[in-house]
Amino acid sequence: MHGQNLVVTPQSDRLVRVDDDRLMRGYVEYDPGVPMRAIDLRALWWIFVRNRVLMLAIMLVALVIGAASIWLPKPVYTARATIQIEPQAARILGTENITPDPGSSENNRMLQTQVDLLGSGSTAQHVTHQLNLVNDPQFLREVGLENEPAGDFRAAQVASALREKLSLSSPRDTRLIAIRYDSHDPARAARIANSFAETFINDTLQRRLDTFTYSRNFLHRQLGETKGRLEKSESNLVSYALSAGLVNAGNAAGAAGGDGERRSITTASLVDINTAYSQAQTNRMQAQQRWEQAMATPAMNLPEVLSNPAIQNLTRQRAELEATLQQERERRQDNHPAIIQAKAQIVELDRQIGAIAGGIRASIGNQFRVAAGQEAALRGSVSALKAATFAEQGKDVRYNILKREVDTNRNLYNTLLQRYNEVSTQVANTTNPISIIDRAQMPSSPSYPRPALNMALASLAGVALALVAGFVRTRMDDKVHGPTDVESDFRTPLLGVVPLLKGGESIAEAMDDPLSSVTEAHHAICLALDPVVQTPERSVLLLTSSSSNEGKSTIAVKISSSLAATGKNVLLIDGDMRRGSLHQLLGLSNHLGLADLLSKRSGEGLVDAVQYCEHHGFSVLSRGGRSSANPAELLANSSFAALLNEAAGLYDAIVLDGPPVLGLADAPRISGMADATVFVVEANRTSKADVKIALKRLGDAGADQIGLVISKYDPAKDTGAYGYAYRYDYPLDEDGIADEAPLPQLQMKV
């Protein structure tokens, strides 16, 4: 009884047939040549349409809240004052005019510190005291503290209320701070804002003065203590020097060393005599060298002799006499008195020169002996002074300790005195780095509420919340709404869509009307089922659903009626032996039916139990009376299969109005005996999870050729991008009446 399989491809909306070896149990083939869709604006529109009531309600509530925020609150006025803060470098003399640039990071840190100080609790307390806000009934009423008892607690509460309504800001890359204060009274807002600026300036200057005053007093105390320690250490030094017999020769002219250390008389004498001893050694060595040279060199060749003026004069006279003697010898004999006299004079000059040269050599020797004697004498003095100095060094250790203490106290005293003078100078030259740029003026219009801004924010918030609610509701909605859900969530072909009746039309009227949308939808379903029912063999068609009351009985009746209209001998069986209602829907008797035949209580056969429905033109086997046996057990035995075989020999098509799948075992058992299974899903009621579970149970039971039909479909509630409509093209006669209705066609709009 199996024919070719039925498949609907969502991309083309066409019915195709596949062979038995590619039997599709809930599988949908997709055409890979069809590109994927981008953002579907139509789907977004359907989300809005389906959730329009919720979204419009949210937007309306947001607008109401926005309007309430305009009319209900009391107007708030904001007064604004601006102060400037300049970094102040340390000024000692008060003549420095250049302020170094601290850098962007340090400037921001300094400004943030000033902002925190301006918004501190101490500043708020000073403003409270300055304006006497603790006793201002209007201000207390504004901040809700009129019932607080007077005292420190009320003052603290008032200061806290001031800080709550105070806002501070500093524009980037500036040294400005904007002070804003909100109040219901514009004059009070301006007065408090200006008071914050003035109080902050006064507090800042006072803090600087307090810092300098504290530093000055501290330094003054330290100076007194250090001065006392210095005087005491100096007195101890002098007392020790007197007791030890140490005389400081460091202040004497030429007696102090280059390092300024204390130098006693013994040490000074040792230094001086040691210096003279070193010079005597040098002189002795030089004299010894000259004497040794004089002894080894002829007297006339000594440098001292050659450089002596007397020797030079006598040598010149001798040279002149030699020249005169030479001239006289040219004219006279050697025995001439003139020649003899000249020779005698030359001999005398030689004697004188020799005597002088000998005296000079003897003088060099005497100088050597004198230098050697001086060296020996100074050597003894140095040795004696060294012994005295070594004896005095033990006393110098204690003296140096006391001297260092004096120097330390003196340096500390001088440093403190210098810093004290600097601080005193700074106090005299202290300036306030904070100044008021703009004083707060009384605002003429309230800063809150702002109608345009409030309504704009309320509108934006309403739209955003409405969109979020719509998307969340859509994402959380697990109901099957339309064909798009079937195509995207279930791997099962869609056979057709039965629209929801509107306008008070009954199902009976819609089924009897050949031009109604319900009738056309069932024609389309029958057309999709042609590959199964329009075969030479007999075919069994099962209709089921996940739960009851989803419209499968109505569809089963309409399919049977449509098949009967094509000339087929059709048998409609009510397979729901628990809650079957076909006999009520068709107005037939339920005295003898399927349950009776399967339980064999009456002993009658199929022909006796079948009833013919003349109105629709097909035969009906009702569910029968209540049986004590379980319907699942009746369907499981061979009697039901035999009954179907018997019916297949008598009828061209058999339509089974089966029970629901979930919670029962009846439908899966019947599906294994049917040639095709039509699964009915009620739109906007059945959950996708139930459909998936039911389809899985049918597939596991061996159901062949499962196709889906959506019942009670309302396009207005479908969030998908598809809407289904039925178009009829009827030729009209000259009176405007349709002559003949052609075969209707199911059309899909995108």
Side-chain angles (χ1 to χ4, degrees), residues 212-405:
F212 286 133
T213 302
Y214 175 81
S215 300
R216 185 177 180 182
N217 294 336
F218 174 78
L219 291 174
H220 186 268
R221 291 194 302 270
Q222 293 297 317
L223 274 174
E225 296 175 1
T226 305
K227 182 179 180 182
R229 289 196 299 269
L230 176 60
E231 293 175 352
K232 183 178 180 180
S233 60
E234 288 179 342
S235 177
N236 293 335
L237 179 63
V238 172
S239 299
Y240 179 76
L242 291 176
S243 63
L246 299 177
V247 179
N248 188 359
N251 295 329
D259 54 1
E261 292 290 334
R262 187 200 73 84
R263 186 168 296 172
S264 65
I265 294 177
T266 303
T267 304
S269 300
L270 176 61
V271 172
D272 294 340
I273 293 177
N274 188 59
T275 302
Y277 174 66
S278 298
Q279 185 64 38
Q281 282 183 323
T282 303
N283 295 337
R284 190 266 306 166
M285 287 186 292
Q286 292 177 351
Q288 182 179 0
Q289 183 180 8
R290 288 197 302 272
W291 171 245
E292 291 176 353
Q293 184 180 3
M295 292 299 294
T297 305
M300 293 305 299
N301 292 336
L302 293 175
E304 291 82 355
V305 174
L306 294 176
S307 61
N308 189 277
I311 296 296
Q312 293 177 353
N313 185 30
L314 293 174
T315 302
R316 184 176 61 256
Q317 292 178 9
R318 186 180 183 286
E320 292 176 355
L321 288 176
E322 284 285 346
T324 303
L325 178 61
Q326 187 66 26
Q327 292 176 358
E328 290 295 333
R329 281 180 176 177
E330 290 178 355
R331 294 182 299 167
R332 296 179 178 90
Q333 294 295 325
D334 291 337
N335 56 359
H336 189 277
I339 293 174
I340 294 172
Q341 183 181 359
K343 288 181 178 181
Q345 291 177 350
I346 290 173
V347 171
E348 180 63 21
L349 289 175
D350 289 338
R351 186 191 63 77
Q352 293 179 1
I353 290 172
I356 294 174
I360 291 174
R361 175 179 286 178
S363 173
I364 293 174
N366 291 333
Q367 291 177 0
F368 168 66
R369 286 186 291 274
V370 171
Q374 290 179 349
E375 179 185 7
L378 290 174
R379 184 185 302 112
S381 298
V382 168
S383 299
L385 288 175
K386 279 184 179 180
T389 301
F390 289 151
E392 196 177 65
Q393 283 181 349
K395 301 178 181 180
D396 283 342
V397 174
R398 175 62 178 169
Y399 181 88
N400 291 333
I401 293 175
L402 296 175
K403 182 65 169 58
R404 282 194 297 271
E405 184 178 356

Side-chain angles (χ1 to χ4, degrees), residues 58-59 458-470:
I58 293 176
M59 295 177 63
S459 300
L460 291 176
V463 171
L465 291 176
L467 291 175
V468 171

Side-chain angles (χ1 to χ4, degrees), residues 173-238:
D173 297 330
T174 66
R175 295 192 179 101
L176 301 178
I177 297 179
I179 304 173
R180 296 180 179 87
Y181 187 81
D182 299 333
S183 176
H184 297 308
D185 185 354
R188 185 184 299 112
R191 185 169 64 254
I192 293 178
N194 289 327
S195 179
F196 264 99
E198 295 168 356
T199 302
F200 182 61
I201 291 176
N202 295 333
D203 290 349
T204 301
L205 183 58
Q206 187 61 45
R207 280 194 297 270
R208 296 176 66 86
L209 292 175
D210 291 344
T211 301
F212 286 133
T213 302
Y214 175 81
S215 300
R216 185 177 180 182
N217 294 336
F218 174 78
L219 291 174
H220 186 268
R221 291 194 302 270
Q222 293 297 317
L223 274 174
E225 296 175 1
T226 305
K227 182 179 180 182
R229 289 196 299 269
L230 176 60
E231 293 175 352
K232 183 178 180 180
S233 60
E234 288 179 342
S235 177
N236 293 335
L237 179 63
V238 172

